[in-house]
């Protein structure tokens, strides 16, 4: 049964919010009247986008449980006010998804993909309410400001701008906001591919989260995520003889688990370099500094140096993770009582493998490694590897537009150690990029998945117009 959409705020708050929204909708209708300058259009759009982001942050879509229907309801009201047809679907009670389409020519469609769920926030470690959406010292704060309600508001601004402009599009443009990415996407993109495949049927390009822009000593680099390490989440299980803690046996379920984990920890996966990673490190070498640049420029040779690899692992674990498969022990359990030797024990591993081999091959190698311990491997989740090519009109548009808007900047294809919903769409053959033109200064606090998540308002406003310029270059001839 669909959850009731109840608003329990005081009537005065509801009236004020309605009044503010109506003002912005009125501004929207005025945007494209004769005599309105492009500068005015841009300024008004940025104002709207700031309000949308604040509103989205204030929607509680923390996953679990998700409750993404709240975002669906919010977008629905905007689309209705704009006269845009849309569709919605719940993959489970409260797990809402919404999509809308601007019709264009026969070129393969472009999807603007966002997820509306966010990770939990421990309020006691924040300096503000995590769902406040307030602006403080030039920053918009709240859970999702960067991951990824900020980019979601930017995508909404681009989508509505194309609609309002009335421009002739060379392809359909699809706005898609989904549930559950933070928990794997199975109630979001994964479910939609199985149950609403028509959304993706004619798509050739997709823009999603995963990329980012950074500025260090004046140089701006726009990272475009073209592939990512493949998550392989595993559970190690073992059964052995239980007993009393006062009379330990030579082996038990717990000692077997410990032995298996020790084998994995003591045998790190050998480093290797795949094509996209080599290109990424070559790009990094340009401004990596004398300590790192010589190694990054020739990373295939550098991985043969054990001293370099040890230093990289210690000082730059994210870069180390791009050069080998990894497994992190994140959960384990033995007995429920201190004086009981349990009959079973388990541990869970968050493994991430480079996208050059199937997960089944990796699991078989891991099982062979721990075979002497008698521990069995259960697969919790394993995705398939995929890489998006970069010799495309969309990638070229990102390069050319960012170069025009930010002279001296450069674009760098990147590889993500984390995963996004793009793995689903790459499996469909859709060229999928993680791209966000929001520029983060070196050393700037972001709070992604942490405390006081925030985005600088000025950089966010600039990203609104930059993103629109890139998409416009692709969808309008």
């Amino acid at each position: 049964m669909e959850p009731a959409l109840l608003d329990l705020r005081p009537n005065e708050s509801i009236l004020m919010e309605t009044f503010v929204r109506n003002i912005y909708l009125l501004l929207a209708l005025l945007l494209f009247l004769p005599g309105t300058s492009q500068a005015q259009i841009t300024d008004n759009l940025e104002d709207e986008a700031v309000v949308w982001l604040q509103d989205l942050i204030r929607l509680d879509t923390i996953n679990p449980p998700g409750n993404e229907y709240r975002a669906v309801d919010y977008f629905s009201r905007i689309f209705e006010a704009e006269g845009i047809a849309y569709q919605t679907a719940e993959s489970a009670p409260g797990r809402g998804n919404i999509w809308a389409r601007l019709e264009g020519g026969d070129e393969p469609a472009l999807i603007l993909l966002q997820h509306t769920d966010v990770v939990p926030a421990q309020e006691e470690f924040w300096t503000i309410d995590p769902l406040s959406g307030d602006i403080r010292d030039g920053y918009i704060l709240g859970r999702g400001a960067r991951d990824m309600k900020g980019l979601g508001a930017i995508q909404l601004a681009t989508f509505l701008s194309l609609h309002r402009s009335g421009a002739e599009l060379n392809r359909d443009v699809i706005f898609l906001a989904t549930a559950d990415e933070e928990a794997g996407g199975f109630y979001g993109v994964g479910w939609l591919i199985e149950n609403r495949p028509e959304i993706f049927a004619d798509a050739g390009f997709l823009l999603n989260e995963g990329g980012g822009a950074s500025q260090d000593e004046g140089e701006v680099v726009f990272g475009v995520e073209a592939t990512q390490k493949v998550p392989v989440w595993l559970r190690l299980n073992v059964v052995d003889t239980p007993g009393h803690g006062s009379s330990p046996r030579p082996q038990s379920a717990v000692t077997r688990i410990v032995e298996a984990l020790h084998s994995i920890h003591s045998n790190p996966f050998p480093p290797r370099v795949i094509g996209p990673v080599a290109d990424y490190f070559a790009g990094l070498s340009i401004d990596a500094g004398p300590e790192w640049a010589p190694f990054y420029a020739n990373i295939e040779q550098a991985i043969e140096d054990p001293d370099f690899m040890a230093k990289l692992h210690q000082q730059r674990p994210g870069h180390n993770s791009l050069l080998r498969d990894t497994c992190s022990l994140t959960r384990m359990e033995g007995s429920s009582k201190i004086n009981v030797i349990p009959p079973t024990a388990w541990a869970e591993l968050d493994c991430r493998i480079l996208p050059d081999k199937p997960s089944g091959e990796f699991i078989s190698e891991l099982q062979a490694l721990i075979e002497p311990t008698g521990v069995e491997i259960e697969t919790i989740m394993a995705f398939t590897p995929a890489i998006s090519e970069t010799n495309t009109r969309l990638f070229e548009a990102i390069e050319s537009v960012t170069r025009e808007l930010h002279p001296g900047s450069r674009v760098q294809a990147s590889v993500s150690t984390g995963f996004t919903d793009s793995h689903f769409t790459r499996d469909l053959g859709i060229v999928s990029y993680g791209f966000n033109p929001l520029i983060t200064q070196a050393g700037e606090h972001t709070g992604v998945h942490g405390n006081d998540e925030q985005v600088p308002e000025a950089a966010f406003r600039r990203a609104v117009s930059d993103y629109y310029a890139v998409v416009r270059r692709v969808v309008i001839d």
Side-chain angles (χ1 to χ4, degrees):
M1 180 176 179
E2 184 175 282
L5 303 182
L6 298 179
D7 196 333
L8 302 180
R9 295 169 298 172
N11 289 337
E12 292 83 354
S13 298
I14 298 172
L15 290 173
M16 179 57 69
E17 182 174 307
T18 302
F19 172 75
V20 172
R21 276 208 180 86
N22 287 339
I23 289 296
Y24 276 99
L25 289 175
L26 178 60
L27 287 172
L29 294 174
L30 295 174
L31 282 180
F32 292 95
L33 289 178
T36 303
S37 70
Q38 182 61 45
Q40 288 173 306
I41 292 172
T42 301
D43 289 345
N44 290 333
L45 183 64
E46 292 172 5
D47 290 341
E48 288 183 283
V50 169
V51 172
W52 292 330
L53 174 53
Q54 290 181 288
D55 285 349
L56 288 169
I57 290 173
R58 289 164 183 159
L59 299 176
D60 184 353
T61 54
I62 291 173
N63 185 8
N67 288 325
E68 297 92 345
Y69 74 88
R70 292 168 175 151
V72 169
D73 179 58
Y74 181 79
F75 288 131
S76 297
R77 282 179 280 152
I78 292 176
F79 290 149
E80 288 168 4
E82 296 280 344
I84 299 175
Y86 65 89
Q87 292 180 270
T88 68
E90 285 196 344
S91 52
R95 311 310 299 273
N97 302 276
I98 184 170
W99 62 99
R101 181 184 293 257
L102 302 179
E103 295 186 352
D106 296 332
E107 293 293 318
L110 167 65
I111 298 176
L112 306 179
L113 172 64
Q114 63 177 278
H115 66 86
T116 60
D117 63 320
V118 297
V119 297
Q122 293 181 274
E123 188 170 355
E124 63 270 26
F125 298 110
W126 286 57
T127 61
I128 61 165
D129 176 0
L131 301 181
S132 72
D134 291 345
I135 298 176
R136 184 182 69 184
D137 300 328
Y139 286 84
I140 306 170
L141 290 97
R143 177 59 84 219
R146 285 184 179 263
D147 185 12
M148 68 167 289
K149 291 180 175 181
L151 182 55
I154 291 171
Q155 290 182 340
L156 177 64
T158 289
F159 189 75
L160 295 185
S161 295
L162 293 173
H163 168 70
R164 294 168 180 173
S165 73
E168 182 177 347
L169 307 178
N170 60 27
R171 67 191 72 221
D172 289 2
V173 178
I174 302 166
F175 175 95
L176 178 58
T178 65
D180 196 43
E181 188 275 343
E182 296 292 0
F186 299 107
Y187 290 100
V189 175
W191 185 88
L192 290 169
I193 288 173
E194 293 293 327
N195 295 275
R196 301 291 189 275
E198 66 276 6
I199 299 172
F200 310 91
D202 62 344
F205 294 131
L206 180 141
L207 288 176
N208 188 19
E209 64 175 344
S214 61
Q215 184 169 26
D216 189 4
E217 298 182 354
E219 183 185 28
V220 176
V221 178
F222 292 91
V224 180
E225 183 266 324
T227 189
Q228 51 198 231
K229 293 189 74 176
V230 181
V232 182
W233 291 354
L234 304 174
R235 184 182 177 107
L236 308 184
N237 297 301
V238 68
V239 179
D240 208 320
T241 305
H244 197 282
S246 64
S247 304
R249 295 175 179 272
Q251 283 189 317
S252 69
V254 173
T255 63
R256 289 180 186 274
I257 283 288
V258 171
E259 289 170 5
L261 294 174
H262 179 70
S263 295
I264 295 171
H265 179 72
S266 302
N267 293 277
F269 303 101
R272 67 184 189 278
V273 179
I274 63 173
V277 169
D279 294 340
Y280 180 59
F281 273 89
L284 291 175
S285 71
I286 295 173
D287 55 7
E291 182 181 6
W292 298 98
F295 296 99
Y296 282 15
N298 191 2
I299 197 63
E300 290 96 339
Q301 181 177 335
I303 65 171
E304 303 298 330
D305 182 344
D307 292 335
F308 165 74
M309 291 303 297
K311 178 180 176 182
L312 186 71
H313 193 186
Q314 179 68 34
Q315 299 186 20
R316 298 188 170 186
H319 288 174
N320 172 73
S321 295
L322 292 174
L323 297 171
R324 55 170 28 116
D325 301 331
T326 60
C327 285
S328 293
L329 168 63
T330 54
R331 301 181 68 218
M332 63 187 304
E333 184 176 280
S335 177
S336 59
K337 292 192 67 178
I338 193 170
N339 62 341
V340 173
I341 298 173
T344 63
W346 58 263
E348 289 181 353
L349 302 174
D350 178 2
C351 300
R352 309 291 175 114
I353 67 173
L354 292 166
D356 62 342
K357 65 180 179 182
S359 58
E361 180 180 334
F362 169 80
I363 295 171
S364 296
E365 293 171 355
L366 196 64
Q367 183 68 72
L369 176 64
I370 65 172
E371 190 71 32
T373 67
V375 172
E376 297 294 328
I377 296 179
E378 172 190 351
T379 302
I380 298 173
M381 182 183 77
F383 295 154
T384 53
I387 300 172
S388 290
E389 59 185 354
T390 55
N391 58 334
T392 66
R393 175 170 179 170
L394 178 54
F395 197 90
E396 291 169 359
I398 294 172
E399 288 183 308
S400 61
V401 171
T402 54
R403 186 166 52 244
E404 293 166 10
L405 297 177
H406 301 269
S409 67
R410 59 187 174 89
V411 171
Q412 181 172 299
S414 64
V415 182
S416 174
T417 55
F419 68 88
T420 70
D421 282 333
S422 293
H423 76 89
F424 287 114
T425 54
R426 289 186 179 124
D427 287 347
L428 298 177
I430 300 172
V431 173
S432 305
Y433 298 138
F435 173 65
N436 185 349
L438 189 143
I439 298 173
T440 299
Q441 301 298 319
E444 183 175 34
H445 175 75
T446 65
V448 175
H449 284 214
N451 304 324
D452 284 355
E453 186 174 350
Q454 60 185 25
V455 61
E457 181 183 358
F460 174 78
R461 287 175 174 272
R462 179 67 185 269
V464 170
S465 56
D466 288 358
Y467 197 89
Y468 175 63
V470 169
V471 172
R472 184 180 175 87
R473 182 71 58 87
V474 175
V475 303
I476 298 176
D477 292 326

